[in-house]
Amino acid sequence: MSAPVVASPEGFELPESQRRVILWMVYLGFAALAIGIINGLGQALNYANIDILKYFPGMRTYYQGLTVHGVVNAIVFTFAFTNGFLALCTSRALARPLSGGLLWAVFVTMVLGTLLAGYAMATGQASVLYTFYPPLQAHWSYYLGLALLVVSTWITAVALFLGVRGWRRDNPGARIPLMAFVSVATYAMWSLASIGIAVSVVGLLLPWSLGLIAYSDPLLSRTLFWFSAHPIVYFWLLPAYVSWYVMIPRQAGGKLFSDPLTRVVFIMFLLLSIPTGFHHQYTDPGISQGMKAIHATLTFGVFFPSLVTAFSIMYALEIGGRARGGRGLLGWFAKLDWRNPALVAQILAMLSFTLGGATGLINASYNLNQAIHNTAWIPGHFHMTVGSAVTMSFMGIAYWLIPYLTRRELVGRGMAVLQSWIYFIGVLVMARGLISGGLDGMPRRTLLMEAPYSKPSWELAGMLTGLGGTLMFIGGVLFFAVLIATILFGKKIEGKQDVPFTETHIAPASSGWELNLDRLRWWFVAAVVLILIAYGPFLVEYLPGNFTSPPYRFF
Amino acid sequence: MSKEHPLSPEKVEKVFLSLAAAMLLVFLLALFYSAYAMGMHLPGRDGEINPTMVRETPPFDEPGLKQIEPGRYEAVFLGMAWAFQPREIRIPAGAEVTFITTATDVIHGFHIEGTRVNLMMIPGQIGRATYTFTEPGEHLIICHEYCGAGHHLMYATVIVE
């Protein structure tokens, strides 16, 4: 019954030049993360009334640091890592190289985008945070830089789609290997989702920042932003899911439960990630309650594939733990390989994600959102999703990916395991602080140490936030120590290497209804229809919009 | 491997997924019950305005508290960099207050901590939220959306007497 998730399980060597370009993408991502977590420490300590930002060279305001923190962590780091990682997954799954020219174009576009946005942020001309809501107006290079970063994901998407198309032409009638399917489905979702942000940035904000358009429509731009910025959380998360589905079972000594169920999960993300954006705008006037209720329902729908994922992962881990001698209801969990840093980082990522998911469901909960919207609860929530589930997974992946790409053995496995635990405990302590503060009204994105108002309960919340953030920072520093030591001093690996892909318990069928799962074009059209249902009525009612806001530079 | 399981993984899968779906459905029904049967609403479409002409447009030409009838009030609030207008309102305990809000420049936030009054102040849009303050005490109104270098200075107070 077992089936592989790649086309040629016996092996495939990535061409050297592609190995190099993917390595550079991953380096760019982690370089961004390094800058991001240095700023993150400054943000966390602000909550504990400790000002280290004044020692940061060139840092004028807290909000400038917060902008950098958001952009480099949530956009540059995630995009760069994912562009490289899923290109590798697709190429390995199909056992054929992707277009090398396109992959280098991805890298160059990302570097250009990062430099342009980085210039605007570093010179204090773009302290508008990574949500860049108009009518706060940044320098045009900020919008252009962000646009190029999005374009880099589109070029990656083209490289992936062309790879799959070529493979299908050479293998008529064959099922798409699962590891390629999940990678391509991720990019299909994001290609569609990113249209909102592209229209807003390229069509409205960039010409507005150049003075070609005088006014903006803040509600319309917010809506276009959240059209893309809820699904962006799945674009962050799905590469981690790819690893959890097709690699973690192997690393834990188990198997992936089901090939068809995995495809269904990724199709559900393609369908349901996008028509949910209004749940970020529950407290926005100007959008009807009925539309908000529809998005609430669909958001609960997109929670379902994550619950399916929880099942599949627990299955794989339990099989692995029992094979290693685990007994009883939960004994298998203790028997997992807790000395393998790639596995430990990602198991801890999954644990923090259970809390991240639960708090996310609360955010999505319609009127309940009014209790926590824009309070410190929100960063408490998303540091348990993107800030740990995704970040720790990418760190865990790096523990085999960097050796794979550099052909050097990992240096400091013990420190790598320790690093994960410190980061994990740190994020839980920080989230405990932010969440309790948020429940008592503590706002997010605010220089609280200089605010004229405060509440007694915020003191403990702020101290925990500062403490947890410091632990996360230490965990991050140790990660980079392991990474740099590996790159510089790792023993050369001789001979063949491979990506640690798994086998499946339930194999893909070669006939019957399951073949429809591979018709990504159909599912793409279905996703478009759902978007029209979820956004159409609002746009018909609202357009041509209310373009009456002149620009402001209050930073 | 499957011998160690009392149930086949296929069966466990069905039970797990059914419970997961049921859980989501129950949560959702509870939310819609609270919204539509108990009247805890989100803001909706409550009108548009030209943000450059806010001070000439009623009711925003007269920010502040106004009694509509005994026990019922309207509170008109403006958000601007970096203050609310008015900075303080005083209301008797038990009063039902409808907050009517907009912004004169950039996006601001309007969160009365300890209550479920939580509105974005978006230039061009008029926000409305109704809340009954039952207990005497003080609530901070916090701008919870970043609005520039002085964002953290922006707050107001509701005093329930």
Side-chain angles (χ1 to χ4, degrees):
Chain A
M1 274 297 270
S2 280
V5 294
V6 300
S8 308
E10 57 284 352
F12 163 72
E13 282 286 311
L14 199 64
E16 199 51 42
S17 71
Q18 300 213 351
R19 191 184 281 255
R20 212 173 313 128
V21 67
I22 289 172
L23 180 63
W24 280 105
M25 290 188 209
V26 173
Y27 282 167
L28 175 66
F30 281 121
L33 179 68
I35 295 168
I37 62 176
I38 292 169
N39 275 289
L41 180 66
Q43 316 301 326
L45 290 177
N46 153 56
Y47 284 95
N49 287 320
I50 301 168
D51 184 7
I52 61 163
L53 289 166
K54 60 180 175 226
Y55 304 113
F56 282 36
M59 190 66 65
R60 293 173 210 186
T61 69
Y62 167 81
Y63 302 106
Q64 186 184 7
L66 189 56
T67 305
V68 173
H69 179 67
V71 170
V72 300
N73 277 343
I75 300 176
V76 182
F77 165 53
T78 56
F79 283 14
F81 185 89
T82 301
N83 284 343
F85 176 55
L86 292 190
L88 171 66
C89 290
T90 308
S91 174
R92 174 60 192 93
L94 302 174
R96 64 190 288 147
L98 302 178
S99 157
L102 285 180
L103 292 183
W104 279 106
V106 170
F107 179 70
V108 171
T109 311
M110 280 194 295
V111 170
L112 275 179
T114 307
L115 289 176
L116 279 167
Y119 160 77
M121 292 188 291
T123 51
Q125 299 183 78
S127 300
V128 294
L129 309 190
Y130 80 121
T131 44
F132 54 85
Y133 299 136
L136 275 179
Q137 190 185 61
H139 190 263
W140 59 266
S141 60
Y142 181 72
Y143 301 112
L144 186 60
L146 294 183
L148 287 177
L149 287 164
V150 172
V151 168
S152 80
T153 64
W154 292 350
I155 304 173
T156 309
V158 171
L160 266 51
F161 296 155
L162 288 178
V164 169
R165 202 178 67 170
W167 184 85
R168 290 191 108 173
R169 214 172 20 221
D170 297 347
N171 300 272
R175 298 293 307 274
I176 303 173
L178 184 65
M179 192 158 84
F181 180 89
V182 292
S183 305
V184 169
T186 300
Y187 271 87
M189 183 282 289
W190 173 245
S191 304
L192 186 56
S194 51
I195 290 171
I197 226 166
V199 168
S200 178
V201 169
V202 178
L204 302 172
L205 301 180
L206 186 57
W208 177 65
S209 66
L210 289 165
L212 303 172
I213 302 178
Y215 298 102
S216 70
D217 179 339
L219 180 65
L220 185 63
S221 277
R222 266 174 83 79
T223 304
L224 291 169
F225 179 83
W226 287 113
F227 177 99
S228 298
H230 188 66
I232 206 176
V233 311
Y234 296 107
F235 188 54
W236 298 333
L237 188 62
L238 290 185
Y241 273 20
V242 168
S243 166
W244 297 0
Y245 269 105
V246 301
M247 289 157 191
I248 281 294
R250 158 85 168 269
Q251 290 164 324
K255 262 183 198 178
L256 171 60
F257 175 60
S258 162
D259 177 294
L261 186 65
T262 306
R263 288 182 209 246
V264 168
V265 162
F266 277 78
I267 289 170
M268 286 187 79
F269 280 116
L270 167 60
L271 292 177
L272 294 173
S273 294
I274 306 167
T276 56
F278 284 159
H279 82 257
H280 291 260
Q281 296 176 274
Y282 283 149
T283 64
D284 282 19
I287 301 166
S288 71
Q289 286 124 346
M291 293 313 299
K292 289 172 179 171
I294 289 172
H295 283 232
T297 308
L298 290 167
T299 310
F300 273 63
V302 76
F303 200 76
F304 185 72
S306 283
L307 292 170
V308 181
T309 302
F311 172 83
S312 295
I313 290 162
M314 281 191 282
Y315 171 87
L317 293 180
E318 182 173 349
I319 298 290
R322 288 193 192 281
R324 293 171 59 88
R327 297 265 171 276
L329 192 62
L330 290 172
W332 54 268
F333 192 69
K335 282 286 185 185
L336 290 168
D337 187 359
W338 290 99
R339 299 199 318 196
N340 176 356
L343 184 63
V344 173
Q346 295 186 73
I347 292 176
L348 298 179
M350 294 164 191
L351 289 177
S352 83
F353 191 58
T354 56
L355 294 168
T359 49
L361 197 63
I362 292 169
N363 301 342
S365 289
Y366 201 64
N367 45 16
L368 192 55
N369 178 273
Q370 290 169 312
I372 44 84
H373 174 76
N374 263 6
T375 67
W377 163 289
I378 301 297
H381 152 72
F382 68 64
H383 282 86
M384 293 194 291
T385 59
V386 66
S388 54
V390 174
T391 305
M392 291 185 77
S393 290
F394 289 5
M395 288 172 168
I397 293 166
Y399 288 142
W400 64 260
L401 181 63
I402 295 292
Y404 173 86
L405 292 171
T406 58
R407 296 182 200 274
R408 285 182 184 275
E409 278 177 25
L410 192 70
V411 174
R413 289 173 68 86
M415 195 194 272
V417 170
L418 179 70
Q419 172 273 326
S420 296
W421 279 102
I422 294 175
Y423 192 95
F424 174 67
I425 292 166
V427 79
L428 293 186
V429 172
M430 185 177 84
R432 165 62 173 78
L434 289 169
I435 278 179
S436 64
L439 285 173
D440 208 20
M442 185 163 84
R444 69 186 284 204
R445 304 182 144 181
T446 302
L447 180 55
L448 278 175
M449 61 185 165
E450 289 183 13
Y453 57 86
S454 177
K455 290 182 74 177
S457 71
W458 296 357
E459 200 169 316
L460 176 63
M463 276 164 47
L464 290 174
T465 304
L467 175 65
T470 305
L471 288 173
M472 288 171 79
F473 178 76
I474 294 169
V477 169
L478 293 180
F479 168 77
F480 285 108
V482 170
L483 207 63
I484 291 167
T486 299
I487 295 164
L488 294 181
F489 311 119
K491 242 197 318 189
K492 271 282 173 196
I493 300 172
E494 305 295 340
K496 277 193 167 179
Q497 293 170 280
D498 209 341
V499 171
F501 56 85
T502 186
E503 296 207 330
T504 58
H505 170 65
I506 298 175
S510 50
S511 62
W513 67 273
E514 274 187 40
L515 299 189
N516 294 326
L517 296 177
D518 288 7
R519 296 179 196 267
L520 275 169
R521 250 179 233 151
W522 286 13
W523 297 115
F524 196 81
V525 171
V528 171
V529 170
L530 267 176
I531 289 168
L532 291 177
I533 292 170
Y535 277 100
F538 167 78
L539 290 174
V540 167
E541 203 182 345
Y542 187 73
L543 290 177
N546 187 7
F547 285 85
T548 46
S549 278
Y552 295 92
R553 291 197 170 199
F554 290 150
F555 45 83
Chain B
M1 204 69 57
S2 56
K3 273 178 209 148
E4 284 192 38
H5 283 272
L7 292 165
S8 77
E10 285 79 0
K11 226 174 253 167
V12 177
E13 179 209 7
K14 285 206 177 71
V15 174
F16 185 94
L17 297 189
S18 310
L19 286 176
M23 175 187 84
L24 292 175
L25 199 65
V26 168
F27 286 176
L28 202 58
L29 289 175
L31 288 171
F32 288 140
Y33 181 81
S34 73
Y36 291 99
M38 297 166 71
M40 287 188 246
H41 287 297
L42 291 173
R45 286 182 71 87
D46 288 306
E48 292 183 5
I49 187 169
N50 183 330
T52 57
M53 294 166 62
V54 167
R55 289 180 184 286
E56 297 92 69
T57 313
F60 299 104
D61 51 346
E62 284 179 50
L65 191 72
K66 220 182 288 173
Q67 188 166 19
I68 306 297
E69 56 184 74
R72 287 188 61 211
Y73 295 81
E74 263 181 17
V76 175
F77 271 90
L78 296 181
M80 68 204 77
W82 293 294
F84 292 107
Q85 192 183 349
R87 289 175 184 271
E88 181 185 297
I89 58 169
R90 288 171 177 271
I91 51 168
E96 182 197 277
V97 186
T98 297
F99 295 90
I100 305 173
T101 63
T102 197
T104 63
D105 39 45
V106 297
I107 297 179
H108 300 279
F110 187 86
H111 182 208
I112 308 181
E113 51 83 25
T115 78
R116 57 180 184 79
V117 178
N118 196 330
L119 281 168
M120 298 308 297
M121 293 175 133
I122 300 176
Q125 303 294 328
I126 297 169
R128 280 180 94 91
T130 301
Y131 189 79
T132 303
F133 294 85
T134 49
E135 303 282 326
E138 265 191 48
H139 297 270
L140 287 168
I141 303 176
I142 299 168
C143 173
H144 62 19
E145 186 54 81
Y146 170 64
C147 55
H151 160 55
H152 48 277
L153 305 173
M154 185 167 167
Y155 78 108
T157 316
V158 179
I159 298 167
V160 187
E161 295 174 320

